[in-house]
Amino acid sequence: MGLKAGIVGLPNVGKSTLFNAITNSHVEAANYPFATISPNTGVVNVPDERLDFLSDLFKPERKIPATVEFYDIAGLVRGASQGEGLGNQFLAHIRECDAIVEVVRCFESDDIIHVEGGVDPIRDLEVINLELVMADLESVNKRIEKVANKARIQKDKESVLEMSILEPIKKVLEQGLPARIVKLTPEQELIAKNFHFLTRKPLIYVANVGEEDLLDLDSSKHFQTLKAYADNEGTQVIPVSCNIEAELSSVSEEERKEYLESINVTESGLSKVIKATYKLLNLSTFFTVGSDECRAWTFVNGMSAPECAGVIHTDFQKGFICADVYHYDSIKEFGSEASVKENGKLRMEGKGYHPKDGDIMFFKFNV
């Protein structure tokens, strides 16, 4: 789909370690600021138990999961919006991303330098978030300078519309608050996307905790502080031990499962991060199944059936006739396609249908 998430944070909080674990690409993760200068990119398979079930059922020659793209972006420091550190490069790279995965250090270690001198997750968040707010405020002010007179004097329609977006956003930014809290109409939202506001991008926090803290999160002071902060602003926070995940990424699937079972965990933090990022990007999955291939296809929520057909091939969209559709829950319940049909759960949908997450689809087209 061409959508990507940027992994951001202060230097030495575990960003590149997390990226290494997610992509298993082993980029540099050094114990000094700015080890990452150019953004590293990686395309990651999205874990999906539904695809595993379908593959076990249909026994295809190939199983192809959905994917999501991650960027590992250079560490941000205080003053980045004024060009400190690698600030300008950081801000340019994050503007290219569609969502933000913000890594926050929640572990103590005398061996790993903290750029701010000590561990304080709320201070770290506020440093990052303030820099993003200041960068957005600068962009808003520059744009207002260009369109204010057109809107006020010339009553230019497009400029008036822009000012209806820029003025309320400027007010919240001047209070140190993110642009995402401003409610916009659908028409305004389309215009706002062109400005690439950093603080309007969807966001999740990843709390990088120590191994002992991961086993007892209730007793982790730093994690609980971050969680309370995130809950208050309505942001999801996922606890992860980046070092553990990096180690697990290099072992077999069986060894990984054994380790997770030994610490009484059903799903790795890494898997949770990938799934949460996928949802953060407003993405969902439909499936195509058969003896040759079971495949998870990514679509943006709200797309029509012809648009989803176009995800597979542009000819499918151009010549779309209809789609045979049933939901994953139906085949999970009844155990076979034949039984799904017998129980009346297979239906035919036309151009006006908007697929749901978990739909299994067979497209009919004519070009």
Side-chain angles (χ1 to χ4, degrees):
M1 298 300 298
L3 299 177
K4 51 185 176 287
I7 301 176
V8 306
L10 295 177
N12 297 342
V13 297
K15 292 184 306 83
S16 293
T17 304
L18 178 67
F19 179 82
N20 284 346
I22 287 176
T23 63
N24 201 21
S25 60
H26 306 296
V27 300
E28 184 175 17
N31 183 24
Y32 54 88
F34 315 128
T36 307
I37 298 176
S38 298
N40 300 293
T41 66
V43 177
V44 178
N45 291 337
V46 178
D48 196 326
E49 296 80 7
R50 299 172 301 180
L51 182 62
D52 296 335
F53 175 86
L54 293 170
S55 297
D56 288 341
L57 186 65
F58 286 90
K59 298 185 172 28
E61 296 175 13
R62 297 178 303 278
K63 178 177 77 171
I64 303 176
T67 60
V68 63
E69 185 174 3
F70 284 90
Y71 266 32
D72 175 29
I73 298 174
L76 178 147
V77 294
R78 194 184 297 274
S81 60
Q82 305 301 315
E84 289 295 325
L86 297 168
N88 292 331
Q89 290 183 53
F90 172 94
L91 296 170
H93 289 144
I94 196 173
R95 285 195 196 281
E96 297 172 6
C97 295
D98 303 285
I100 299 173
V101 178
E102 194 166 318
V103 182
V104 185
R105 179 169 167 176
C106 292
F107 68 91
E108 299 281 355
S109 173
D110 294 332
D111 299 324
I112 300 178
I113 302 165
H114 194 294
V115 71
E116 288 285 333
V119 179
D120 184 340
I122 306 308
R123 178 208 56 212
D124 291 356
L125 279 185
E126 290 176 347
V127 167
I128 294 171
N129 294 342
L130 181 60
E131 294 304 326
L132 300 183
V133 163
M134 295 304 293
D136 276 349
L137 184 58
E138 182 181 4
S139 297
V140 166
N141 286 332
K142 285 181 179 178
R143 189 61 191 170
I144 287 176
E145 286 177 10
K146 290 184 178 180
V147 301
N149 285 339
K150 280 186 178 181
R152 189 180 73 255
I153 300 170
Q154 301 175 26
K155 306 300 181 185
D156 176 71
K157 187 176 179 181
E158 289 185 6
S159 298
V160 169
L161 179 58
E162 282 195 30
M163 289 300 292
S164 73
I165 300 165
L166 295 170
E167 287 181 329
I169 287 180
K170 179 179 179 178
K171 284 182 181 179
V172 302
L173 292 172
E174 286 176 336
Q175 298 172 54
L177 300 171
R180 70 177 64 87
I181 70 173
V182 176
K183 303 295 184 184
L184 299 178
T185 66
E187 184 184 16
Q188 290 174 324
E189 193 67 65
L190 285 173
I191 302 297
K193 284 181 180 178
N194 296 325
F195 298 134
H196 303 289
F197 290 124
L198 299 172
T199 62
R200 202 161 177 83
K201 297 179 186 293
L203 168 75
I204 55 173
Y205 298 134
V206 172
N208 185 10
V209 300
E211 183 172 357
E212 291 182 1
D213 288 330
L214 187 64
L215 300 177
D216 185 12
L217 290 170
D218 290 340
S219 300
S220 173
K221 178 184 71 174
H222 294 313
F223 173 74
Q224 291 302 325
T225 300
L226 175 60
K227 188 176 185 304
Y229 182 97
D231 288 346
N232 185 58
E233 65 174 24
T235 305
Q236 183 180 6
V237 58
I238 302 173
V240 174
S241 171
C242 293
N243 282 337
I244 290 175
E245 297 294 345
E247 291 174 9
L248 290 177
S249 69
S250 62
V251 303
S252 69
E253 182 67 27
E254 187 177 334
E255 290 174 300
R256 190 177 302 120
K257 284 181 179 178
E258 286 178 1
Y259 175 78
L260 293 175
E261 287 174 2
S262 73
I263 60 172
N264 200 29
V265 172
T266 56
E267 184 178 27
S268 74
L270 208 57
S271 177
K272 291 178 183 176
V273 171
I274 296 169
K275 289 180 179 179
T277 301
Y278 193 72
K279 289 184 178 179
L280 192 67
L281 289 165
N282 196 31
L283 301 176
S284 285
T285 302
F286 71 86
F287 301 96
T288 54
V289 297
S291 58
D292 58 337
E293 178 181 282
C294 283
R295 182 162 182 163
W297 300 89
T298 298
F299 69 98
V300 178
N301 290 319
M303 286 174 65
S304 66
E307 288 172 327
C308 285
V311 171
I312 299 176
H313 197 287
T314 53
D315 284 350
F316 284 26
Q317 182 171 357
K318 290 176 185 175
F320 180 89
I321 299 172
C322 65
D324 289 335
V325 183
Y326 61 90
H327 198 268
Y328 168 79
D329 290 343
S330 296
I331 199 166
K332 183 75 183 292
E333 178 182 357
F334 297 113
S336 71
E337 263 190 353
S339 186
V340 167
K341 293 177 184 177
E342 289 170 6
N343 285 276
K345 297 299 183 180
L346 176 69
R347 63 193 189 278
M348 185 174 69
E349 299 286 0
K351 293 181 179 179
Y353 179 65
H354 295 272
K356 309 295 189 295
D357 183 54
D359 276 351
I360 297 170
M361 309 186 74
F362 177 79
F363 296 103
K364 297 177 183 179
F365 69 102
N366 184 26
V367 178

